[in-house]
């Protein structure tokens, strides 16, 4: 499965503290933990001895200790101690299954296979204030969730009175200009929003810029008219399974006055409007080879689907 050869975000960097943290990626249970050097490690959440969940264990002296018989593993996955046999030096074959993990943009990224790219996607310069929303666990596939983020035609209906209104349901013509590596970008998209941000007092015309950063990551930048705050939203989606995902929204804003809590309440309210629709869509995997009707307003969705097909990210749909 080509999806195994990509980097996917699995947790916020700050989520991994003194205790092991269980996460799921592409249906595989993983355990994240910090080794003696403070580096996060990602192992299969299964002890090589008798298959117990390592995430039920503990980090002891910079090593991950299994909850069942106490075998301890170092950051390389090598078993360093078998308490039932004091003085015995375990061989290299007594090893936990270790995966590549790297920190980037405040998240931890794991690749289960052979990395197709050297690192997670890069970001352009963004406003300095950063607020993380989520994670949200969603009962649909990661590409369905990302496609919803790229879709503005639903604003007038799903987010009536917040991000859109049925009186402004039209989607003006817009251009999709892919990057050299084939990622879809919409450089300029005008939209009318009744309440464009948490601090907005009334409706405003907003100019959007959309960029797909990687198969399940996208960036939306808003440049409102006047002196309203400029906002950028990153959406990072982890394919926990081919039909479920875990999503974070990371907001970068020039708004220095609205409290974090108010920004989070706004984003949670928006996502609570999206969630029932997202979870109602069938099939949960994105149909990448036809099967759903398209119109001109959907040209960004169509470009996103072409990009996924070219990258081979299909979850076996085609
Ligand atoms: Fe992990 Fe035995 S199952 S030490
Ligand atoms: Co929405």
């Amino acid at each position: 499965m080509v999806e195994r050869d990509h980097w996917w975000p699995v947790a916020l960097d700050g989520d991994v503290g003194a205790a092991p943290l269980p996460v799921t990626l592409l249906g595989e249970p993983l355990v994240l933990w910090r080794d003696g050097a403070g580096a996060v490690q990602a192992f299969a959440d299964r002890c090589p001895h008798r298959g117990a969940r390592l995430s039920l264990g503990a980090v002891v002296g910079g090593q991950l200790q299994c909850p069942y018989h106490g075998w301890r593993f170092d950051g390389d996955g090598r078993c360093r101690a078998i308490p039932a046999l004091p003085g015995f030096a375990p061989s290299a074959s007594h090893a936990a299954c270790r995966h590549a993990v790297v920190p980037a943009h405040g998240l931890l990224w794991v690749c289960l296979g052979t990395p197709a790219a050297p690192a997670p996607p890069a970001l352009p310069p963004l406003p300095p204030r950063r607020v993380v929303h989520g994670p949200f666990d969603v009962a649909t596939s990661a590409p369905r969730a990302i496609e919803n983020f790229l879709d503005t035609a639903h604003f007038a209906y799903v987010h009536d009175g917040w991000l859109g209104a049925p009186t402004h349901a039209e989607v003006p013509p817009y251009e999709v200009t892919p990057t050299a590596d084939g990622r879809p970008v919409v450089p300029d998209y005008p939209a009318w929003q009744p309440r464009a941000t948490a601090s907005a007092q009334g409706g405003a015309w907003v100019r959007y810029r959309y960029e797909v950063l990687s198969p399940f990551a996208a960036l939306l930048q808003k440049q409102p008219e006047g002196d309203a705050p400029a906002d950028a939203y990153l959406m990072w989606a982890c394919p926990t399974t081919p039909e479920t995902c875990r999503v974070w929204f990371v907001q970068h804003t020039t708004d220095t006055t609205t409290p974090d809590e108010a920004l989070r309440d706004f984003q949670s309210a928006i996502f609570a409007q999206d969630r029932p629709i997202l979870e109602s869509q069938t099939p949960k995997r994105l149909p990448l080879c036809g099967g759903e009707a398209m119109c001109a307003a959907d040209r960004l969705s169509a470009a996103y689907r072409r990009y996924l097909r070219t990258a081979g990210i299909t979850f076996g749909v085609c």
Side-chain angles (χ1 to χ4, degrees):
M1 178 162 65
V2 69
E3 288 82 1
R4 294 177 65 85
D5 296 336
H6 283 257
W7 294 102
W8 305 115
V10 293
L12 295 174
D13 202 355
D15 290 344
V16 185
L21 178 75
V23 296
T24 305
L25 175 60
L26 294 170
E28 289 201 21
L30 305 177
V31 54
L32 305 178
W33 64 284
R34 260 179 222 282
D35 67 17
V40 173
Q41 301 295 339
F43 290 179
D45 196 3
R46 182 180 183 282
C47 181
H49 181 219
R50 290 294 177 271
R53 284 272 168 127
L54 290 169
S55 58
L56 296 174
V59 179
V60 176
Q63 297 178 338
L64 181 59
Q65 178 176 284
C66 178
Y68 199 2
H69 309 98
W71 288 25
R72 290 201 303 274
F73 302 89
D74 68 15
D76 291 330
R78 179 97 185 254
C79 182
R80 291 298 176 186
I82 295 179
L85 295 174
F88 174 73
S91 76
S93 65
H94 290 79
C97 173
R98 184 171 176 264
H99 297 292
V101 57
V102 295
H105 318 310
L107 291 129
L108 296 163
W109 299 70
V110 169
C111 177
L112 295 175
T114 306
L123 290 182
L126 297 171
R129 184 179 173 201
R130 182 175 177 277
V131 181
V132 177
H133 308 281
F136 301 100
D137 287 306
V138 193
T140 196
S141 64
R144 280 279 194 203
I146 293 288
E147 191 181 71
N148 173 65
F149 184 76
L150 301 173
D151 176 274
T152 56
H154 78 278
F155 286 2
Y157 295 93
V158 177
H159 306 298
D160 180 9
W162 292 69
L163 302 182
T167 48
H168 288 78
E170 72 281 2
V171 173
Y174 62 88
E175 296 293 325
V176 181
T177 53
T179 58
D181 58 349
R183 293 177 294 106
V185 173
V186 176
D188 188 22
Y189 175 86
W192 188 86
Q193 291 196 336
R195 191 181 170 212
T197 66
S199 60
Q201 298 302 315
W205 281 96
V206 181
R207 303 196 84 81
Y208 289 10
R209 180 184 184 278
Y210 284 100
E211 178 172 352
V212 175
L213 299 169
S214 68
F216 305 153
L219 170 65
L220 161 62
Q221 290 166 285
K222 290 187 194 175
Q223 301 294 338
E225 303 291 313
D227 49 6
D231 275 312
Y233 291 89
L234 291 152
M235 180 174 177
W236 306 115
C238 170
T240 42
T241 74
E243 298 193 354
T244 61
C245 62
R246 173 168 285 192
V247 168
W248 296 264
F249 298 97
V250 180
Q251 180 177 5
H252 287 257
T253 181
T254 57
D255 178 349
T256 54
T257 54
T258 309
D260 282 13
E261 200 180 357
L263 296 178
R264 290 210 178 91
D265 286 350
F266 183 82
Q267 190 60 32
S268 294
I270 297 291
F271 195 68
Q273 294 162 352
D274 283 308
R275 180 194 286 279
I277 301 291
L278 274 174
E279 295 186 338
S280 80
Q281 285 176 285
T282 55
K284 290 188 182 295
R285 300 183 196 212
L286 197 62
L288 288 170
C289 297
E292 289 189 344
M294 289 280 187
C295 70
D298 301 324
R299 56 175 74 79
L300 179 53
S301 297
Y304 175 59
R305 292 181 183 205
R306 276 196 302 277
Y307 161 67
L308 290 183
R309 273 202 308 273
T310 303
I313 307 290
T314 67
F315 286 135
V317 163
C318 291

